[in-house]
Amino acid sequence: MEKNNDSVIVKIVSVAGILAALALVFIIILRGDLFSGVVSAINSTKAGYESATIYDVCYYKAWNVIYGGVYSIALFATVIAPVALMLRFNGAASLARYAAIADIVLAVIVIIAKILGNNGVMHKITAKIYLDEIGVVTAYGDFMGVFPIVAAIIVLVLSVIVLMIIHSSKLDKVKLYNNEGPREIVRMIIPVLYGSVFLETIRPLVISAVCHRIGGMSDTVNTFVTDYFFADVWGFNVPYVWFVIVVALAVIVANRYFKKLKDNVIPIVMGVMTALYIIRCIIYIANPPRLFGYLTLDDAICDATELAYPIYMLLIVTDVLVVMMLAYWCTKKELAKRTLLIVLVSHMIITLIAIATVGIGMAIVYGISLVANILILISSFYMAYIRGRHH
C-alpha cells in the first residue's frame, strides 16, 4: 500500500514538473505575441523582414486570431495545474489533463502555421479575408524562425507524456484530492475564454472591420489609437489571461493557507491592480506619443485621436478588472450559470451597439464599451458580494 502511495506521489510530481517546464516554454518562446510579433516586425521593417509583404501580414494576422484563444487556455491551465496538483486541490488532475490537451492543440497550430508559411494558397485566402482580393499574391515567405517550431515539437512530446501518465495512473480518481479545495477553479476557463476570444480578438476585429468599411476619420483614428498609441506599450499590452492567473493563484493560496482572508482576496488584488493602472495612466497621459507632424498634419484627426485615446486607455483598465472579477466570481459555489450567461450576453450586446456608432466617432465607441464594462463590474460585484451576504 505504501509503495502504491509512493508511486502516485512520483507521478503527481512528474506531471507537475513537466507542466511547469511547459509553462516556461510558453512564457519564454511560444509567447502570446508569437504571430502578432511577426506582424509588428514586418510593419516596422525590422532587420530580416524587409522582403515581407502585406500578404505576409495578412497570413500571420489570421493565425494570430486562431492562436490567441488557444494560447490563453493553454497558459492558464499549464500554470495553474502544477500548483493545484502540489497543493492537492479538487479538480487538479482534470485541469492537468485539460492543460495537456490545450498544449497539444497549441503545438499543432504552430507546426501547421510553419509548414504552410511558404504556401501561396493560404496567403491568397488570408488576403481575400483581410484585403478583399485574391489572385495577386506572388511574393510571400516564412518569417516564424526556427525556435518556435522546435519549441512546438518539444511541447507536443511532453504533453503526450503528461496525458499518458494521467491516463495510466488515473490521477483524477486518487482520493488524495478529495478535500475542500475549490473545484470551481476550473471554471476560470470561462473568463479566460471571454477575455481572449471576445475582448482581445472579436471586439477589436469587428471594430476594425466596421471602421474599414465605413472609412474616413474613424478608420484613421482607430488605427492610430490601437496600432500607434497602445501597440506594444508596457502595461497595456499584457494578455488578459495573466490577470486570471493572478486571481486563480491568489484564491488557491488563500483557500489553502489564509482561509479567513479568502473573501477579501479579490478586493485586495483588484485594489492593487487599479492603483498600479491609475499610476500608469497618469504617466502615459503626461507623456503621450507625438502625433502631429509624425503621422498626420490634419488637426481634426489629431483632435479626434487625442479625445479617443484616454477613453480607450480606461477601456483597457476596466477590461482587466472585468476579467478579474469574472474569474473570482467563477470560484463562488453559488454561481448560477444562467446568470453568468445573461451578464456576458448583455455585455456583448451593449458592446456591439457601441460598435454600431462608429460613424459618429471612435470616442463614442470606446465610451459606450467603457460603460458596458462598468455595468458588468457593478452587477458582478453585487452578485458576488452583496446578494451573497443576504442569502
Side-chain angles (χ1 to χ4, degrees):
M1 189 68 177
E2 186 175 343
K3 290 183 178 180
N4 289 336
N5 289 336
D6 290 342
S7 176
V8 170
I9 292 173
V10 169
K11 290 176 181 178
I12 290 172
V13 173
S14 298
V15 170
I18 295 174
L19 289 175
L22 288 173
L24 289 177
V25 173
F26 292 149
I27 295 171
I28 298 173
I29 303 177
L30 297 180
R31 303 182 305 273
D33 63 348
L34 178 63
F35 294 103
S36 62
V38 175
V39 173
S40 298
I42 293 174
N43 288 333
S44 61
T45 61
K46 187 178 178 180
Y49 295 85
E50 297 88 352
S51 62
T53 67
I54 186 62
Y55 306 114
D56 295 309
V57 171
C58 294
Y59 177 77
Y60 288 108
K61 284 180 69 175
W63 277 110
N64 186 60
V65 172
I66 301 171
Y67 182 80
V70 179
Y71 176 83
S72 294
I73 295 174
L75 180 64
F76 170 78
T78 307
V79 169
I80 299 300
V83 179
L85 281 169
M86 298 309 295
L87 294 181
R88 304 177 183 178
F89 274 90
N90 273 338
S94 297
L95 187 60
R97 178 183 283 108
Y98 298 151
I101 294 173
D103 294 352
I104 290 173
V105 174
L106 191 75
V108 170
I109 289 174
V110 175
I111 292 171
I112 292 176
K114 178 69 175 181
I115 292 174
L116 298 179
N118 287 312
N119 186 283
V121 174
M122 291 303 301
H123 281 72
K124 289 181 180 180
I125 292 174
T126 54
K128 177 63 177 178
I129 294 173
Y130 285 96
L131 303 176
D132 292 329
E133 65 178 41
I134 192 169
V136 298
V137 185
T138 57
Y140 44 81
D142 171 23
F143 296 93
M144 281 184 63
V146 177
F147 288 113
I149 190 66
V150 173
I153 294 173
I154 293 173
V155 168
L156 186 60
V157 173
L158 292 180
S159 300
V160 171
I161 292 175
V162 168
L163 278 180
M164 291 173 62
I165 295 175
I166 294 174
H167 178 73
S168 62
S169 59
K170 298 181 180 179
L171 289 183
D172 51 344
K173 306 294 183 182
V174 176
K175 292 182 179 181
L176 189 66
Y177 296 108
N178 291 334
N179 53 49
E180 297 179 356
R183 182 178 293 275
E184 290 78 10
I185 205 78
V186 180
R187 290 184 183 177
M188 288 191 183
I189 293 294
I190 296 173
V192 169
L193 276 173
Y194 194 72
S196 63
V197 175
F198 181 72
L199 296 180
E200 289 184 302
T201 305
I202 294 178
R203 186 180 66 187
L205 277 177
V206 174
I207 290 177
S208 179
V210 174
C211 286
H212 182 68
R213 185 172 295 276
I214 293 178
M217 185 182 295
S218 294
D219 191 20
T220 304
V221 171
N222 184 61
T223 301
F224 284 174
V225 170
T226 56
D227 291 344
Y228 179 61
F229 273 77
F230 291 100
D232 300 324
V233 174
W234 178 84
F236 296 110
N237 63 343
V238 180
Y240 292 159
V241 62
W242 278 110
F243 300 102
V244 182
I245 290 173
V246 168
V247 173
L249 291 175
V251 169
I252 288 175
V253 173
N255 276 275
R256 185 69 177 180
Y257 299 109
F258 308 100
K259 290 188 177 182
K260 292 182 179 180
L261 299 176
K262 65 180 183 179
D263 290 334
N264 298 318
V265 167
I266 193 61
I268 294 173
V269 173
M270 291 183 68
V272 171
M273 200 62 63
T274 300
L276 292 175
Y277 265 107
I278 288 175
I279 295 172
R280 183 68 182 96
C281 289
I282 293 173
I283 294 174
Y284 194 76
I285 290 176
N287 300 278
R290 295 287 298 274
L291 185 60
F292 185 81
Y294 283 78
L295 296 182
T296 181
L297 296 174
D298 191 320
D299 287 328
I301 292 178
C302 288
D303 292 340
T305 304
E306 290 171 356
L307 176 63
Y309 93 81
I311 303 175
Y312 184 81
M313 182 165 54
L314 293 176
L315 178 62
I316 295 175
V317 175
T318 54
D319 278 351
V320 169
L321 297 180
V322 164
V323 169
M324 294 179 73
M325 189 71 221
L326 289 176
Y328 183 71
W329 192 22
C330 285
T331 67
K332 308 290 283 186
K333 293 183 179 180
E334 62 269 20
L335 169 67
K337 294 181 181 179
R338 181 182 300 179
T339 305
L340 177 62
L341 182 62
I342 291 173
V343 169
L344 296 182
V345 170
S346 299
H347 182 260
M348 286 189 284
I349 291 174
I350 297 175
T351 302
L352 293 176
I353 292 173
I355 295 172
T357 65
V358 164
I360 302 176
M362 292 312 301
I364 301 296
V365 176
Y366 301 148
I368 297 177
S369 300
L370 176 61
V371 170
N373 280 358
I374 294 173
L375 289 176
I376 196 174
L377 278 173
I378 293 173
S379 61
S380 296
F381 184 84
Y382 171 78
M383 285 180 281
Y385 288 97
I386 299 176
R387 193 181 70 173
R389 290 174 181 175
H390 283 85
H391 286 78

